[in-house]
Each structure stands twice: as C-alpha cells, then as structure tokens.
Amino acid sequence: MSFEQWLTQSKPVIPVIVIGELSQAVPLAQALVAGGVRLLEVTMRTSVALAAIEKIAKEVPDAIIGVGTVTKAEHIQQANDAGAQFALSPGISEKLVTKSQDLALPFMPGVMTPADIIKGIEFGLQDFKFYPAEQAGGVNMLKAFAGPFENIRFCPTGGISEHNFKNYLALNNVMAVGGSWLCPRNLLQTGDWSAIEILAKQC
Ligand code: 3PG
C-alpha cells in the first residue's frame, strides 16, 4: 500500500504520538481509529515505542501503524520487525532511504529545502514530510514549492494544530498533515480516551 491509497481510508491527519506507558498504546489507537483517524505515527522518542507499535499492530487491526522520529536506519529495521507499515523521519539521508527501500517500507523523509526535495527525487520519492512546517515557512513555503516540484506531495508537521491545519489541507500539494495536537500529553496521562476520540472526530 502507499500513502495515497491509505489516505482514501482515513482522515488526512496523522497524529504524532509520544507513548510514555505501554498501557496507553492500545486504548489510544482505538480512540483515534474510532474518530476516523487511522494513520498513526508512534515516535521513537520513548523506550516503549517499539513495543507500542507491536501491540497496536496486533491488537488494533483498523489502525495503519507507522513509526516516526526515525533518525537511524536501525530504527526502520526495528519498527518494520515490530509491524510498522510506514516510517517518517524529520530529515532525509541516503542510509534511511536505502533501508526503507530494501524493506519495501513506505517512507516519508523530512524536507525543508529544495535541495532536500531534489535529493529525495533522486531516490525516486514523491511524498515528503515538510518539517518543521510552521518554522520553515508554513503555507507560503509550500505554495512556493508547488512551482518547481509539480508532482511532489507533502505532509507538513511541526506547529500544526486545530487552528491552522485546514489552511494546509487546502493546498493541492498537501496530502495530509501531522501533529501532536490530537494526542495531548495531559489526556494521555489521565487516560481520557473519549476526549481523544472527540478530538479525532472534530478534525
Ligand atoms: C513531529 O515530529 O512531526 C513534530 O514534533 C510534531 O510537531 P508538533 O508537536 O508541533 O505537532
């Protein structure tokens, strides 16, 4: 499957998830899926990230589970072994792209400049994370990219929230947006899954 195909089955919003406790993984994924948000990015920012990916892959079949904050090729291998269906990184490197291609794992590297995008095109990629979106020029930067990079699609993340995500989704070269606003730390800590489901439903 590709991001394009998955996005026909999910809202075009990818929550950036930081799992502190393994017990949060399944109820959180269930709440997001119940809200129509199926593509989930569990970031490699905590020690339980891989275990969380494995649990969600096994126990929440309607979730399309991916790994985020990939900064080393071994993260891609480990997440793939744990059952991740895609990978995202804040940046782009030959090692990351090659590893994902060896595993045939859909991968969106992060880009911020035309040079980054050209590097990805040289690897045959069309889909990129634009990171950090707000800090790197936001909607106007993506409009500027639309000229020279006609067939390239972006998933902006970084500084996106319920207040500005629609401005991004209105752009032709944006296929989805990502962000942590759908999984606020306080709701995760208190286990308020119904509030997270409502946030997912609202977007
Ligand atoms: C990411 O990894 O995509 C970002 O950390 C998400 O940024 P946000 O917390 O501003 O949504």
Side-chain angles (χ1 to χ4, degrees):
M1 291 283 266
S2 66
F3 289 103
E4 203 171 7
Q5 289 167 315
W6 282 321
L7 284 166
T8 63
Q9 304 164 15
S10 172
K11 290 187 182 180
V13 173
I14 305 178
V16 174
I17 300 169
V18 181
I19 300 259
E21 306 282 338
L22 188 54
S23 59
Q24 297 165 341
V26 167
L28 170 66
Q30 285 168 334
L32 290 164
V33 167
V37 172
R38 295 186 56 206
L39 283 157
L40 313 180
E41 172 189 348
V42 171
T43 58
M44 292 291 283
R45 295 183 202 179
T46 64
S47 58
V48 296
L50 288 169
I53 289 168
E54 193 168 355
K55 243 177 138 37
I56 294 169
K58 284 197 182 124
E59 297 178 34
V60 192
D62 286 339
I64 301 160
I65 181 71
V67 62
T69 320
V70 161
T71 55
K72 296 176 183 162
E74 68 214 51
H75 290 158
I76 296 183
Q77 181 71 58
Q78 290 163 341
N80 180 74
D81 295 347
Q85 293 168 269
F86 65 89
L88 302 175
S89 172
I92 181 162
S93 84
E94 183 172 348
K95 282 188 183 166
L96 295 179
V97 176
T98 305
K99 175 54 86 175
S100 67
Q101 290 182 338
D102 286 350
L103 295 169
L105 190 72
F107 176 51
M108 262 197 271
V111 296
M112 207 175 96
T113 66
D116 294 337
I117 298 167
I118 289 169
K119 188 170 188 178
I121 291 171
E122 286 173 357
F123 284 110
L125 299 178
Q126 264 195 314
D127 301 335
F128 297 95
K129 170 167 162 144
F130 174 48
Y131 179 79
E134 280 288 287
Q135 296 83 345
V139 164
N140 283 334
M141 187 70 144
L142 287 164
K143 282 184 184 165
F145 285 162
F149 302 115
E150 210 186 342
N151 299 315
I152 300 301
R153 293 161 307 197
F154 297 95
C155 175
T157 77
I160 297 181
S161 69
E162 68 267 37
H163 303 298
N164 59 3
F165 78 99
K166 286 187 183 157
N167 301 337
Y168 284 92
L169 287 175
L171 302 178
N172 284 336
N173 59 351
V174 168
M175 59 172 163
V177 297
S180 57
W181 89 93
L182 281 171
C183 302
R185 187 191 290 243
N186 61 323
L187 297 184
L188 267 178
Q189 275 169 353
T190 54
D192 195 344
W193 314 122
S194 52
I196 288 179
E197 182 177 333
I198 290 167
L199 281 178
K201 280 192 170 136
Q202 278 168 350
C203 67

